[in-house]
Amino acid sequence: MNNLLEIENLSKRYGKLVALDRLNIKIGGGKIVGLLGPNGSGKTTLLKCIAGLLTAEEGKILVDGKPVGVETKKIVSFLPERACLDPSMTVKEYLNFFETFFADFDRNKAENMLSSLQVNPAARLKTLSKGTKEKVQLVLTMSRRSKLFLLDEPIGGVDPAAREFILTAILNKYREGATIIVSTHLIRDVEEILDEYIFLQYNHFTAYGSVKDLHDQGRTVDELFREAFRCF
Amino acid sequence: MFLKIFRHEFKKLFSVTFILFGAQLLLGLFVGVSVRIMTEMESALNVFIASSLSGVMMFSVLAMGVVCAAISILIVYRFYRSISSDEAYLTFSLPATTKEQLGARFLVMYLYNLISYVVLILAIGICVLTAVPFPQISEMLSSVMEDLRELFLQLDVSAVLYSVEGIFALLVFSLLSVSETMFAVILAHVAAKKHKAGATVGMLIALGYAEGILFEIVTLPVTLALAVSGRYTLQVSYFLTMILAIAFLVVCSVVSYRLIDRKLNLD
């Protein structure tokens, strides 16, 4: 199978602090990958480098064989951890925005998702709760027909019902053949849908494997994570 | 993509500035009407009403200045938000080149600067036209037309040249101010880890001073040397200033582009 994402000797520093240190990985198409690690391990930095929002000092990233740039942004959908939508705009205005700027945006799908989440498209974002804003951002991101989805803590700030909805949305994308990289601390919630896991610690990949293989050994990703990142 | 970004940014800025543009025109009208009332009914007004009116008029003139400043701040703030706040995550996720991203925003800022000048001139025009009694307006307009006709008849090559030079200088300096704004926002975005808004303001002030000092350092010795040798003309200062302004404009634009293209760091 062709690799959708190839990372070779990727390093990123913030001044003297090394955020990512010579990372190497290849991820194939049509997979749900859990990017797991403790706080400050470099998960968000890695996702931002792949999305083209951070410039790495060394190494290269290829998405579908192309270096990160305009062409990869057409096929990569990134959900940042923080709210990046302008609160003065309405949900409908954002639907128009995404439809204008992303050729792969499926407006019908977005409207259906918003309606099942009971979000009023006429509402201004500043009138919505924090959780609802996050849902809107997720709906916009997941309504693209992208090849690669990068989700940074997608289930962190939402209620359990919405969490269920998000996991279903991820699974639907997976069924459409997309690759989804999910960064999260809530491993138990996502474990059932993961194909592969990547552990990131001290700016290095410390483990990478198949979730099915792990389950065959009678172990879970959550257990492995707790062992690997034990605090005492 | 350039046009799409341009259209989006233009609409976005319009939604917050059109109220201020309207307020500017209304203030012009208000000042004009106040002056008219005061001049026409001077004897009929008691001291309290007359002083209140003049107070309100002065406040309105001050408000016009504040509105001007607010429009400029909004133009800078919109650029700052799209490049350096959390909104930048969406900005730089768009499948657009750095040239398209910066070029479209540069053009929007420049156009809004020009629009704000035009609205200010219109507001002053409304103020003058409403301040003068109606019968005198036609007299005033015909006198202005007469002056213009005389000026046109006396027109020589140097007058045309000075006009062209004046327009060119206005164009260059307004472009330079937009370019400096863009440069300050981007430099603060790349260099500052925290308090990016404060860093942007600091950078804008520092750039203003740097530009002034650089202009003095270069133009003063040349001007002095030419003055000593008796070859100094106003044209020399003009061309020297224009060359420096264009050089500064190019440097600010190129460095801004390079910083975003190679050092983009959304933390």
Side-chain angles (χ1 to χ4, degrees), chain B residues 56-130:
Chain B
V56 170
M57 198 177 72
M58 282 180 61
F59 176 77
S60 303
V61 172
L62 197 72
M64 281 174 82
V66 172
V67 169
C68 262
I71 292 168
S72 301
I73 290 168
L74 277 175
I75 294 169
V76 179
Y77 182 65
R78 176 65 211 139
F79 182 73
Y80 167 79
R81 271 195 69 93
S82 66
I83 296 288
S84 206
S85 73
D86 286 348
E87 210 185 308
Y89 278 82
L90 190 56
T91 300
F92 292 109
S93 293
L94 299 178
T97 60
T98 309
K99 276 181 192 162
E100 289 168 334
Q101 291 276 20
L102 292 185
R105 286 178 172 84
F106 184 94
L107 191 61
V108 169
M109 281 202 287
Y110 184 60
L111 283 179
Y112 269 93
N113 267 333
L114 292 185
I115 293 169
S116 66
Y117 298 149
V118 171
V119 171
L120 182 65
I121 291 166
L122 276 176
I124 293 168
I126 288 170
C127 173
V128 172
L129 288 176
T130 44

Side-chain angles (χ1 to χ4, degrees), chain A residues 12 48 51-55 70 73-74 78 80 82-89 94 97-98 100-102, chain B residues 1 4-5 8 12 78 81 86-90 92-97 193 261-267:
Chain A
K12 171 72 196 164
K48 284 198 270 190
L53 304 177
L54 275 181
T55 317
V70 177
K73 285 176 184 177
K74 288 178 185 169
F78 175 54
R82 56 180 78 184
C84 64
L85 303 180
D86 181 353
S88 69
M89 279 172 74
Y94 263 113
F97 179 91
F98 268 67
T100 307
F101 285 99
F102 297 106
Chain B
M1 198 50 80
K4 285 177 183 175
I5 298 171
H8 173 73
K12 198 96 189 63
R78 176 65 211 139
R81 271 195 69 93
D86 286 348
E87 210 185 308
Y89 278 82
L90 190 56
F92 292 109
S93 293
L94 299 178
T97 60
K193 286 185 180 130
D261 204 45
R262 295 176 190 182
K263 298 270 179 198
L264 180 65
N265 276 313
L266 297 182
D267 46 16

